Amino acid sequence: MEVIYQYAWLIPVLPLLGAMLVGLGLISLNQVTNRLRQLNAVLIISLMGAAMGLSFAILWSQLHGHAPYLRTLEWAAAGNFHLSMGYTIDHLTALMLVIVTTVAFLVMVYTDGYMAHDPGYVRFYAYLSLFGSSMLGLVVSPNLVQIYIFWELVGMCSYLLVGFWYDRKSAADAAQKAFVTNRVGDFGLLLGILGLFWATGSFDFQIMGDRLAQLVHTGAISNLLAALLAILVFLGPVAKSAQFPLHVWLPDAMEGPTPISALIHAATMVAAGVFLIARMYPVFEHVPAAMNTIAYTGAFTAFLGATIAITQNDIKKGLAYSTISQLGYMVMAMGVGAYSAGLFHLMTHAYFKAMLFLGSGSVIHGMEAVVGHDPDLAQDMRLMGGLRKFMPITALTFFIGCVAISGIPPFAGFWSKDEILSAAFASNPLLWGVGWLTAGITAFYMFRMYFTTFEGQFRGNKSQLWDKLKSPVGMAIVTGFERTPAFGPGAMTKGELEAHEEHHHDDHGHGHSEYPHESPWTMTLPLVVLAIPSVLIGLVGTPFANYFEEFIYSPNETLEEVVAKAAEVDLHEFYIMAGGSVGISLIGITVASLMYLWGKINPVAIAAQIKPLYELSLNKWYFDDIYHRVFVLGSRRLARQVMEVDYRVVDGAVNLTGFFTLVSGEGLKYFENGRAQFYALIVFAAVLGLVIVFGVT
């Protein structure tokens, strides 16, 4: 098995090789490369498949007790400073390698069907492969400097993929927003890295943690400074994992093609933040202030994302806010010291959320046959309904994802979310209360999404929708059980109605079918494959036999301590905690059923009664508006003031100097007439003036 570790460097290199070959083909032989689109796809998928095979072999070896493996070479040296680069393989790396490669491989297979008619098909595969390579390089990095390099590469790939359809203004704006927001967090991460190196003299995670703890204990560094350095590092995960207050970029990033939403914004890139917290755990665990900051940030983000997802009508943006919320759970788990629980939820969430995003892409693909290639229409759940009859495989897998994320046993999400809530309750009941309430909201909005999309009657074709848009009641749309005015969940505003009507009369933008259809096998097969771990993978982390915790345990624990702790699990406490979390989830599902499946509760009436809260959710807690006013408009105002200072003060001083030089020169040229007697007169006048001045004084 040692040979596998010696060639583990191939895991990030193989996808990089695919991206380079295809990229060079696009640059040098563009037309030929684009004509050989299927061959390029097969090449990139095969290379990712090979990386996936190596990843599974390494995971199998780690499961059987192989010691961690580290291979480095000296990259830079100056005096006593030495910086090494290379790769490391341990339990955390092996787990992340399998998660990234499996999801990336399935997304690449799915992409063949989803992007089949897109002119940028080959370019998209090149970007996918480059991103996969960057993420895998980040995972195997043995020190903080190498992580930062790949961290920035991942951000660059995110910019390219979110803005893939760059000719659409919304996509270009979303890419810029994601890039700028992440730069804020990355600047904090860079400051934290430099500060920790200044304090500890190392970029190695364990050495940094041990030395920082020793420095704080001896008083060489204050607790405040240690907390500041740790929180600066945490800013990187805050941006990358879309935590409050840098969460605003993720929903807009849904402008990219749906495979990107599944790969980057569900399973890999946003999980990089949680992965970095896990890697930096030896540093964070010795700084209680940083741990509390991480825990409360995660808890608030989980609640924030869930409350906004309630009112989303765009299926992808609803899943985006769900991702923000679930990442909040993982970050909260890390903050309360539940190291393995946070990584457990990272693993389960990667599979069922990737399946949900790919399922939404399948829905969009089917809807485009009816409403055309306008994302505002194809992604609007208010135009869906009854899709289970037309897309049974997509509906079944989406339902499995909804049950899994809602935390219903024995699906994967139940085991990981319950472990987080148990750890939160043991650490801080307030955090548990926020997480418990968020679990109920999660179940509600996910089944709202499922019922609105797959149950009831289809609302997207002419006969059932377009004539009903002009309702005498006002702007109305069918929600599955009755007409709903332009207020409340599921409603259309006047502007949206006019846009829909205008689009309906535009024959160029409309679809060619009366009803949607199931997606091709290249799209449904990854859904079916992802449904298997969404159901079963949580069984590796049950409290009865917590194999996951025995495999992934905190750096400050030994395997013997973990095994002993697992043997002391109080099943009575587990049943109480699990019963509470399942109970609140079932309440959320029941309320969603009464509103959006059976029509026993009118969501519009409820929204009218809680109008301020409804508008708070609908407007995303006004964060986008606040940031636009403070940062965008504020920056423009500051720029105008700086320009005014530059124009009036800086340019004014320069122009005044030039004007003075011009005037003085023009004046002096009249004294330069070449007549000696005139010069003598000037000298005499000057001397006379000096005599008078000095004579008077």
Side-chain angles (χ1 to χ4, degrees):
M1 297 300 289
E2 186 72 22
V3 176
I4 298 175
Y5 290 86
Q6 293 175 358
Y7 289 96
W9 57 271
L10 286 171
I11 295 175
V13 168
L14 288 174
L16 178 62
L17 178 63
M20 290 175 60
L21 291 174
V22 175
L24 289 173
L26 288 171
I27 293 171
S28 56
L29 301 168
N30 185 273
Q31 293 183 351
V32 175
T33 304
N34 277 305
R35 279 200 296 268
L36 298 174
R37 49 197 289 147
Q38 295 287 344
L39 182 61
N40 284 288
V42 169
L43 171 66
I44 285 179
I45 293 173
S46 300
L47 290 173
M48 183 58 75
M52 181 177 68
L54 278 172
S55 300
F56 271 106
I58 288 174
L59 178 63
W60 182 258
S61 173
Q62 288 290 303
L63 286 169
H64 285 77
H66 193 286
Y69 183 88
L70 175 65
R71 186 171 184 176
T72 60
L73 56 88
E74 189 170 84
W75 189 57
N80 294 326
F81 173 77
H82 296 274
L83 179 61
S84 298
M85 294 291 179
Y87 63 92
T88 183
I89 304 295
D90 57 11
H91 292 180
L92 176 59
T93 301
L95 175 70
M96 291 297 298
L97 287 175
V98 168
I99 292 173
V100 173
T101 53
T102 51
V103 175
F105 178 80
L106 292 171
V107 166
M108 287 178 175
V109 174
Y110 178 95
T111 298
D112 178 66
Y114 190 86
M115 302 288 287
H117 304 293
D118 195 289
Y121 177 94
V122 178
R123 178 168 60 94
F124 189 73
Y125 266 105
Y127 288 171
L128 278 179
S129 191
L130 181 60
F131 169 78
S133 173
S134 301
M135 186 66 198
L136 292 169
L138 188 153
V139 167
V140 301
S141 296
N143 59 60
L144 204 49
V145 171
Q146 190 171 328
I147 275 189
Y148 187 77
I149 293 170
F150 283 104
W151 188 272
E152 294 302 321
L153 283 173
V154 165
M156 181 199 72
C157 294
S158 172
Y159 175 80
L160 294 173
L161 289 164
V162 172
F164 181 78
W165 289 319
Y166 54 84
D167 52 344
R168 276 176 22 198
K169 185 178 184 302
S170 57
D173 290 345
Q176 292 181 20
K177 185 175 182 180
F179 188 82
V180 171
T181 306
N182 275 275
R183 296 292 71 72
V184 175
D186 293 355
F187 182 64
L189 173 61
L190 178 61
L191 292 178
I193 292 172
L194 296 176
L196 286 172
F197 178 75
W198 164 80
T200 64
S202 175
F203 292 113
D204 182 83
F205 312 108
Q206 193 63 51
I207 294 175
M208 280 193 298
D210 294 340
R211 289 183 181 174
L212 187 65
Q214 183 179 5
L215 290 170
V216 172
H217 179 71
T218 58
I221 288 181
S222 67
N223 287 316
L224 181 61
L225 180 57
L228 175 62
L229 296 177
I231 291 172
L232 283 173
V233 171
F234 176 58
L235 280 178
V238 166
K240 199 70 75 181
S241 291
Q243 299 295 287
F244 167 82
L246 301 178
H247 65 283
V248 293
W249 67 270
L250 186 61
D252 293 80
M254 297 300 109
E255 290 291 339
T258 301
I260 294 312
S261 302
L263 180 61
I264 290 184
H265 307 127
T268 53
M269 191 189 87
V270 292
V274 181
F275 168 78
L276 181 58
I277 297 174
R279 272 286 183 237
M280 293 295 294
Y281 198 77
V283 173
F284 290 133
E285 67 175 342
H286 298 299
V287 187
M291 293 290 281
N292 288 330
T293 301
I294 293 171
Y296 281 101
T297 299
F300 180 75
T301 305
F303 180 74
L304 172 70
T307 54
I308 297 176
I310 291 176
T311 56
Q312 294 300 304
N313 294 312
D314 185 306
I315 188 170
K316 285 177 65 177
K317 287 192 176 180
L319 291 174
Y321 280 108
S322 172
T323 301
I324 292 173
S325 180
Q326 296 303 307
L327 288 167
Y329 271 109
M330 301 173 207
V331 172
M332 179 179 71
M334 291 292 176
V336 299
Y339 179 87
S340 61
L343 293 173
F344 188 26
H345 197 56
L346 185 154
M347 178 182 70
T348 60
H349 176 265
Y351 290 113
F352 62 67
K353 185 54 69 66
M355 181 179 64
L356 286 168
F357 266 114
L358 294 182
S360 72
S362 180
V363 168
I364 295 166
H365 184 268
M367 287 293 296
E368 285 177 343
V370 181
V371 301
H373 293 277
D374 186 341
D376 292 335
L377 300 177
Q379 296 172 198
D380 196 329
M381 292 186 292
R382 296 168 298 186
L383 300 184
M384 300 175 188
L387 296 189
R388 181 167 54 87
K389 294 179 290 186
F390 312 109
M391 310 178 72
I393 299 176
T394 302
L396 178 60
T397 54
F398 202 93
F399 177 79
I400 290 172
C402 290
V403 176
I405 196 173
S406 299
I408 305 300
F411 291 77
F414 163 74
W415 304 105
S416 56
K417 188 182 293 187
D418 183 74
E419 191 171 342
I420 292 174
L421 291 176
S422 297
F425 185 81
S427 174
N428 188 330
L430 176 61
L431 295 175
W432 170 85
V434 174
W436 178 79
L437 181 61
T438 302
I441 300 173
T442 300
F444 171 78
Y445 70 69
M446 287 306 304
F447 274 88
R448 168 187 179 266
M449 192 177 297
Y450 174 79
F451 294 142
T452 305
T453 304
F454 294 101
E455 300 298 335
Q457 295 182 343
F458 182 60
R459 303 182 291 275
N461 57 24
K462 298 178 184 180
S463 60
Q464 295 188 11
L465 173 66
W466 307 113
D467 295 336
K468 295 179 181 179
L469 285 174
K470 296 180 180 179
S471 169
V473 178
M475 277 65 74
I477 187 170
V478 178
T479 62
F481 54 88
E482 64 175 80
R483 291 179 178 178
T484 304
F487 176 75
M492 270 192 180
T493 65
K494 182 178 180 181
E496 290 173 323
L497 172 64
E498 292 172 350
H500 279 260
E501 289 182 303
E502 180 182 351
H503 188 83
H504 167 57
H505 293 297
D506 180 9
D507 294 333
H508 298 288
H510 204 273
H512 52 77
S513 177
E514 188 76 6
Y515 295 100
H517 56 77
E518 184 61 275
S519 300
W521 71 268
T522 51
M523 295 174 66
T524 55
L525 179 61
L527 292 175
V528 174
V529 173
L530 285 168
I532 297 172
S534 298
V535 176
L536 299 176
I537 202 168
L539 298 178
V540 303
T542 69
F544 310 104
N546 199 341
Y547 301 112
F548 185 87
E549 188 172 2
E550 293 180 11
F551 178 66
I552 298 287
Y553 49 88
S554 175
N556 65 345
E557 292 181 308
T558 64
L559 179 59
E560 291 75 15
E561 291 173 340
V562 173
V563 173
K565 184 172 65 176
E568 297 174 358
V569 171
D570 186 350
L571 292 181
H572 180 69
E573 179 183 348
F574 164 73
Y575 290 133
I576 294 175
M577 298 297 299
S581 63
V582 172
I584 191 68
S585 297
L586 291 176
I587 291 173
I589 296 172
T590 302
V591 174
S593 303
L594 292 172
M595 285 186 176
Y596 299 99
L597 180 63
W598 301 316
K600 302 298 183 181
I601 301 176
N602 187 351
V604 180
I606 295 177
Q609 292 176 0
I610 55 171
K611 185 176 179 180
L613 294 177
Y614 170 74
E615 291 184 343
L616 180 68
S617 172
L618 189 65
N619 291 286
K620 308 166 190 175
W621 286 44
Y622 300 100
F623 278 112
D624 284 325
D625 298 327
I626 294 170
Y627 288 179
H628 180 74
R629 289 178 180 273
V630 173
F631 296 111
V632 178
L633 299 182
S635 298
R636 292 175 183 172
R637 191 177 299 110
L638 179 62
R640 284 194 296 268
Q641 292 173 351
V642 171
M643 185 175 66
E644 192 73 15
V645 172
D646 178 70
Y647 177 74
R648 295 187 179 278
V649 178
V650 179
D651 286 355
V654 174
N655 293 336
L656 181 62
T657 303
F659 178 75
F660 177 77
T661 304
L662 177 64
V663 171
S664 60
E666 285 291 329
L668 288 174
K669 75 179 183 180
Y670 293 105
F671 292 94
E672 303 292 332
N673 52 19
R675 293 159 58 183
Q677 60 270 32
F678 183 71
Y679 296 154
L681 179 62
I682 293 174
V683 172
F684 175 75
V687 172
L688 181 61
L690 291 172
V691 170
I692 293 172
V693 171
F694 286 102
V696 172
T697 57

